Amino acid sequence: MRTDTPSADTGQPCAAVRRGRPRSEAAEQAIFSAVEEMMAAGTTLSELTIEGIATAAGVGKATIYRRWPNKEALLVDVVGRLEVPVPESSGGSARDDLIEMIDYVRRRGLAKRTRWVLKAALGQMQTLPELYAAYQERVIKPRREAGLHLIRQAVAEGLIRDDLDLDLLGDLLMGPILYRSILWDDSDLEDPDLARKMVDALLDGLAPR
């Protein structure tokens, strides 16, 4: 178990969550809620401290360190919890799963617009290199790999030509919805059929001759 020292709050790698003694659901909920409420009150990610979070949550610092090795690991979980849940594969066609993946990004964009705490967290994250790197490794990278898996499936099913680089195909697939959900604040993300339109337009253009 990590000792309760001030230096544990900074300067250590953002490792995965510890899996020791059984977790207290109530304590975790209090910690998550404390971080969200502090951010809603204007506290930035860089201003958050383990000591401040523990005080706001009504728990000891040791309670936090038993669950997360440092502040960065905790904040990655907090931000991930604020986001729209990643859809599970339907087990159907690659086309259907690609539509689900794109629609996830669409709904995530809507959540970011309506939940300004999430928007603030994602916006500030790039100014904190260790936290940003941990978020990329534990959240973004697995989702990108899931998308590439679906593209391989689409190629295997004959929906997409097999002479193109997979990373390029991933960019072609995800680029338009990322542009609309991240860079173009006024884009129409309300259309529930947007993901299907995007995927079918891409598949039509990339289908084998």
Side-chain angles (χ1 to χ4, degrees):
M1 181 177 70
R2 183 176 293 277
T3 56
D4 185 16
T5 60
S7 61
D9 193 21
T10 58
Q12 297 199 16
C14 188
V17 176
R18 284 179 176 267
R19 303 292 181 184
R21 66 184 66 184
R23 294 181 169 205
S24 165
E25 193 70 29
E28 286 193 3
Q29 180 59 47
I31 293 165
F32 286 139
S33 296
V35 175
E36 293 177 34
E37 290 171 5
M38 292 171 75
M39 290 192 64
T43 305
T44 65
L45 293 178
S46 60
E47 292 171 341
L48 289 170
T49 64
I50 292 294
E51 183 175 9
I53 295 168
T55 299
V59 302
K61 290 195 292 183
T63 299
I64 296 179
Y65 284 128
R66 278 197 294 269
R67 291 157 174 78
W68 297 277
N70 50 33
K71 183 182 80 170
E72 288 75 19
L74 166 58
L75 293 181
V76 168
D77 280 355
V78 170
V79 176
R81 181 172 175 270
L82 289 170
E83 295 197 14
V84 176
V86 180
E88 294 185 5
S89 173
S90 65
S93 68
R95 172 183 174 276
D96 291 342
D97 284 342
L98 286 171
I99 291 173
E100 282 294 322
M101 177 68 73
I102 297 300
D103 196 57
Y104 160 75
V105 181
R106 179 188 70 84
R107 290 182 286 110
R108 182 175 181 261
L110 285 173
K112 183 180 176 183
R113 289 181 184 178
T114 57
R115 304 188 67 179
W116 69 269
V117 170
L118 174 60
K119 184 173 184 178
L122 293 175
Q124 296 170 27
M125 197 173 291
Q126 297 190 36
T127 66
L128 302 170
E130 187 177 356
L131 177 58
Y132 184 66
Y135 183 77
Q136 290 290 316
E137 182 67 25
R138 290 176 50 193
V139 178
I140 301 301
K141 183 178 178 180
R143 295 175 185 178
R144 178 172 176 79
E145 290 175 349
L148 291 175
H149 172 74
L150 295 181
I151 290 174
R152 293 188 190 97
Q153 183 180 340
V155 172
E157 292 181 12
L159 298 176
I160 296 178
R161 45 193 281 202
D162 60 4
D163 61 336
L164 295 174
D165 178 78
L166 286 179
D167 286 329
L168 175 61
L169 289 174
D171 292 341
L172 291 172
L173 175 70
M174 302 303 297
I177 191 62
L178 289 174
Y179 171 72
R180 287 194 173 216
S181 61
I182 296 175
L183 299 178
W184 183 10
D185 288 338
D186 296 328
S187 66
D188 179 18
L189 295 178
E190 301 286 349
D191 182 3
D193 202 34
L194 179 62
R196 182 198 62 77
K197 295 174 183 176
M198 285 187 167
V199 170
D200 283 347
L202 181 74
L203 294 181
D204 286 345
L206 294 175
R209 300 299 182 186

